[in-house]
Amino acid sequence: MAEFLSLHDAVARYVEDGATVAMEGFTHLIPFAAGHEVIRQGKRGLTLIRMTPDIVYDQMIGAGCARKVIFSWGGNPGVGSLHRLRDAVEKGWPHKVEILEHSHAAMACAFEAGAAGLPLAVLRGYVGSELPSVNDQIKFIECPFTGERLAAVPSVRPDVSIVHAQKADRAGNVLVEGIIGVQKEAVLAAKKSIVTVEEIVDDLTAQADYHPNACIIPGWAITAIAVAENGAYPSYAHGYYPRSNRFYKEWDTIARDRDTFTAWLDEHIYNAGGQS
Amino acid sequence: MAEFLSLHDAVARYVEDGATVAMEGFTHLIPFAAGHEVIRQGKRGLTLIRMTPDIVYDQMIGAGCARKVIFSWGGNPGVGSLHRLRDAVEKGWPHKVEILEHSHAAMACAFEAGAAGLPLAVLRGYVGSELPSVNDQIKFIECPFTGERLAAVPSVRPDVSIVHAQKADRAGNVLVEGIIGVQKEAVLAAKKSIVTVEEIVDDLTAQADYHPNACIIPGWAITAIAVAENGAYPSYAHGYYPRSNRFYKEWDTIARDRDTFTAWLDEHIYNAGGQS
Amino acid sequence: MSLEYTSAEMMTVTAARALENGMTCFVGIGLPSEAANLARLTHAPDVVLIYESGTLQTKPDVLPLSIGDGELCESALTTVSVPEMFRYWLQGGKVDVGFLGTAQIDRYCNLNTTLIGDYQSPKVRLPGGGGAPEIATNAGEVFITLKHSKRTFVKDVDFVTTLGFGRDGKGRDGVPNIGQGPTRVITDLCVMKPDPETKELVVVSLHPNVSREDVIEATGWEIRFADTLETTPEPNARELDVLRELKARTERKHSGE
Amino acid sequence: MSLEYTSAEMMTVTAARALENGMTCFVGIGLPSEAANLARLTHAPDVVLIYESGTLQTKPDVLPLSIGDGELCESALTTVSVPEMFRYWLQGGKVDVGFLGTAQIDRYCNLNTTLIGDYQSPKVRLPGGGGAPEIATNAGEVFITLKHSKRTFVKDVDFVTTLGFGRDGKGRDGVPNIGQGPTRVITDLCVMKPDPETKELVVVSLHPNVSREDVIEATGWEIRFADTLETTPEPNARELDVLRELKARTERKHSGE
């Protein structure tokens, strides 16, 4: 049964230095508030998993939280590079960060396999790509029925997954709606999970727009829930607020330079308090 | 793009003698009208795939349509045996029917793998079961990462899948709601598909109860759509009519005896016309 | 003051009591479903019931006849596809206890729901495995409930559809990522548990007014009894009331349909 | 009467025209998305656009900045999970054409979006593979669109993120269940297609007012030209109007956010 905690307490309790952490949300519902809390609490040595690192990981990498990043597309969507990720990978600032990269298909399948309790995912993938030559986690198996060569990757099983969602109810059940990405998979695949939500409602099944096949994660499959209003901003929450494409564009300027980045971090993270 | 046909024409055109056919619906939305049409048209030599054969397959087997049945649970749920299936397997009436049996988990994964375009499904299954000794389609593979022994089964790729759903819209998009079973997987895994529906609406996305993550199968992924009102009866259609548990119980008496079954078939199928 | 109740009621109430509040239970149809819903309506209001049709955390008002009655979906928290149910929820390790019935069970708790006789020319063809083979290995533990008779309790099942502890009691030894298997068998006569060492079923509790001889006569092998044999506590009035109302509601609903 | 248009507009209109009405197209962000939506808003109203964020059959009113803008979900037929998108829809063979951009492309149509330089100490780190490696092999065919320059059109890519036809042009030979791969590359200068035999890219059509020399200078290898070299048809007024309105709407929307 999910425990209701402040975001501070949830991060303090479940994100340990050195942990493997998946913060998911495919463009939509990216858990920015939680990422900022991780930075604020000075977590270090994290292995960060995420299909599309996005600027939340850029911020965490620039702030020195990450030891390793496992991803499949690391850019500022529609804008350009993640300058803090590049600075870490290319120049080792603030310290060297190791990367392990996959394709989206492989990572999506690896999350699915993690949720499914399997050690591996099998896909028709990486054909002719040179990614297997730089990622020793990509192997190939032979189908025992057809002889076809198929790719295999280890499933994703994070120590803790953090996702953002629209609503939880008082029993801790969580509704994810719209672009649902791999959020459910991330929660189910992880040993512990934190879900931040826009709001708490009484009972999800009694809501006017309840749908029998909605993506609802039961409270007993979640470790902790924390309310974080606007917790996905500058990403967005379908039904709540739109994506700040403007901020995504502005980030390019902020992150391009170490000093402006550090100043941004001071102003907007370290000295900004945060929700409790 | 799905073609709108009469049920007669859809079955006549896409269910060929000797074909491998999956008619799905997990208790809910079982395509009875389509099954009856298959009987009425005297289709023969079919390989019938279905997780839970249920009484629609009992009727088709008793009527002599089937050569082989691939399944994971063949009973009249909560009532008892499928007497026509048993009569065919145990006594060869009306002719011998070959069976190939799996567990639910394996068949569900095999449908998933079929929809996913893979030749095999991998699962942690059949541990200690003697089913692999009587089903040579069950093999085992070794995980290249952990060494764990996992079960592998061939994916399900029917020649034609037939499912029933609540609604289609004029563009041929289909909404499945409630207990969705492996319906979407059956359609996507098949070379051809027929979907029978309770009704046609103008535009699914303009319906009052539209949900962004509803189980909607796009029209371009479906071969043919046929309207069949009450097409799942005595199974049910969530939001339309309930399951006739009474008929399921009565079926036990009808099917127990070859003569009462044959009389039922004459009265309710051969001489009943059918929807066109 | 003693209440009147049938041996079937005794079985259901005892099976229901095995479930603790807050457990997630993957429910088989029939007796397990009856017991699991009784538990939910009495001492375990927050027991989470999952049916293989994809209905997560369902709270049916009447017992489903099939594993996918409309009632299950309408009263569920949400309903997922069947592949997701078996992959994410069962195989993914989210199920504390699988609650199963069976046609045959042997001394090592192996279950047969496939057939009586020989596979190629069966005397009686049964429905088959369904969800059981993977429920029994992927759930944290397994409860089994069925009526006691020499026909159902056999020394060796004709076919191991579903693993208990294998034909030699060692079927789970050294297997990675496997649940602990059957931890109790509840019948209309008694409660049995596997011996911690040999895994052979041992009677640990006799229902009121049931003798050792009753159990011996209804069991197809030389059944063992625990050194300290308990008497199963009787159903209480509330449990019987709730169970009878549930069954009456169910009967009215199904015959009306 | 000739219209005024930019080379970027020429590229987008030509790319849009490659899509036929009714095709299902897995759309990459940026230029492919612009072209695919232009096609939808002009000659191909029933083209089915799929984005890897899970949005099936989407009809955005403005161009998405990211692959998962709210607009995509709000205008979609339905939105599925990302694993389902890659498994059922792409790998499941439901995509006729994958429409991709790239940072580098070589003469055998291999794409590099991973890095410039050496993998262990890159000169420039690019975003990585994303959906492209499997889009390129699981879609029926692949269209590629990017601006023409010596920096992007190289003899051999630094890294094969995504298979065109391999480093020797034979990368798809004998591989089961693989799409036919890139069938055309559309730039701001010309249209190229792989040679049916060798799979090396050949210019088949020059855009109006573009010379062979322009292409030769912008290509990092000795580019070949087809024997009968066509001139790409010009954009028409409606295409230009729709494209400009689309871009203006998009600009207003994104800067307002």
Side-chain angles (χ1 to χ4, degrees), chain A residues 86-234:
Chain A
R86 280 185 56 179
D87 205 14
V89 171
E90 296 170 19
K91 310 228 170 69
W93 190 91
H95 53 72
K96 194 79 189 163
V97 166
E98 193 185 334
I99 59 171
L100 190 71
E101 60 186 311
H102 279 286
S103 67
H104 275 353
M107 275 198 85
C109 290
F111 270 106
E112 199 273 349
L118 289 174
L120 85 165
V122 174
L123 70 152
R124 185 176 290 118
Y126 291 122
V127 177
S129 171
E130 289 175 0
L131 283 166
S133 70
V134 296
N135 178 342
D136 61 10
Q137 299 264 286
I138 302 166
K139 295 186 189 282
F140 293 88
I141 65 164
E142 195 180 275
C143 171
F145 304 103
T146 62
E148 185 177 352
R149 184 172 180 263
L150 295 163
V153 293
S155 62
V156 169
R157 309 294 304 257
D159 293 322
V160 55
S161 284
I162 307 178
V163 303
H164 187 70
Q166 277 96 344
K167 314 176 194 185
D169 68 17
R170 297 200 186 285
N173 307 307
V174 163
L175 173 73
V176 190
E177 202 171 62
I179 292 179
I180 54 179
V182 294
Q183 254 116 312
K184 185 198 257 188
E185 287 76 11
V187 168
L188 298 183
K191 297 187 189 75
K192 303 281 180 189
S193 58
I194 302 171
V195 181
T196 58
V197 293
E198 289 297 324
E199 61 170 330
I200 308 277
V201 299
D202 206 45
D203 177 357
L204 284 177
T205 65
Q207 295 271 296
D209 59 352
Y210 172 77
H211 183 273
N213 305 117
C215 179
I216 295 178
I217 309 173
W220 43 269
I222 296 167
T223 311
I225 291 173
V227 175
E229 262 181 70
N230 296 310
Y233 181 89

Side-chain angles (χ1 to χ4, degrees), chain B residues 11 15-21 35-48 59-68 93-97 159 261 265 269-270:
Chain B
V11 168
V15 182
E16 293 181 10
D17 284 353
T20 296
V21 183
H36 294 171
E37 188 58 34
V38 170
I39 295 174
R40 208 174 286 122
Q41 294 189 19
K43 301 293 182 184
R44 289 294 176 269
L46 304 178
T47 292
L48 295 176
Q59 294 165 357
M60 292 169 72
I61 292 163
C65 304
R67 186 185 68 77
K68 183 173 178 177
W93 190 93
H95 52 72
K96 194 79 189 164
V97 165
D159 292 322
F261 167 72
L265 213 53
I269 307 292
Y270 295 126

Side-chain angles (χ1 to χ4, degrees), chain D residues 5-12 14-15 31 144-150 152-153 185-192 202-220 223 225 229-233:
Chain D
Y5 54 88
T6 67
S7 62
E9 288 170 338
M10 180 70 208
M11 169 165 64
T12 300
T14 306
L31 292 178
I144 298 159
T145 181
L146 76 162
K147 286 186 77 168
H148 217 128
S149 83
K150 267 214 158 79
T152 52
F153 279 74
V185 178
I186 299 129
T187 77
D188 48 343
L189 300 182
C190 64
V191 177
M192 287 168 279
V202 175
V203 178
V204 295
S205 171
L206 287 175
H207 295 346
N209 307 315
V210 172
S211 68
R212 287 174 181 244
E213 287 63 37
D214 293 337
V215 175
I216 289 168
E217 265 175 38
T219 307
I223 183 73
F225 294 84
L229 195 57
E230 319 229 329
T231 301
T232 319

Side-chain angles (χ1 to χ4, degrees), chain A residues 26-28 51-52 71-75 77-81 85-86 89-90 96 99-106 108-109 111-112 121-131 133-134 148-149 178-182 185 236 238-239 242-249, chain D residues 29 52-55 64-74 79-83 86-87 90-91 110 113-114 119-120 122-131 133-134 137-138 157-163 166-167 171 175-178 251 253-257:
Chain A
F26 203 90
T27 308
H28 180 218
M51 291 183 65
T52 54
F71 71 103
S72 41
W73 194 86
V79 179
S81 291
L85 171 62
R86 280 185 56 179
V89 171
E90 296 170 19
K96 194 79 189 163
I99 59 171
L100 190 71
E101 60 186 311
H102 279 286
S103 67
H104 275 353
C109 290
F111 270 106
E112 199 273 349
V122 174
L123 70 152
R124 185 176 290 118
Y126 291 122
V127 177
S129 171
E130 289 175 0
L131 283 166
S133 70
V134 296
E148 185 177 352
R149 184 172 180 263
I179 292 179
I180 54 179
V182 294
E185 287 76 11
Y236 70 107
H238 181 101
R243 189 171 195 265
S244 175
N245 281 331
R246 182 153 59 177
F247 184 82
Y248 271 85
K249 289 177 177 173
Chain D
I29 207 67
E52 65 194 17
S53 52
T55 48
L65 181 66
S66 81
I67 204 84
D69 276 22
E71 182 80 8
L72 291 173
C73 173
E74 280 155 25
T79 298
V80 302
S81 75
V82 167
F86 280 97
R87 290 174 72 78
L90 180 61
Q91 187 177 265
N110 300 298
T113 52
T114 300
Y119 192 84
Q120 294 313 326
K123 214 179 309 174
V124 181
R125 180 61 231 193
L126 301 166
E134 283 77 18
T137 51
N138 288 326
V157 288
D158 290 15
F159 189 89
V160 179
T161 312
T162 297
L163 180 69
R167 295 219 178 257
V175 178
N177 302 310
I178 194 167
E251 185 55 37
K253 179 99 190 290
H254 291 180
S255 60
E257 277 170 351

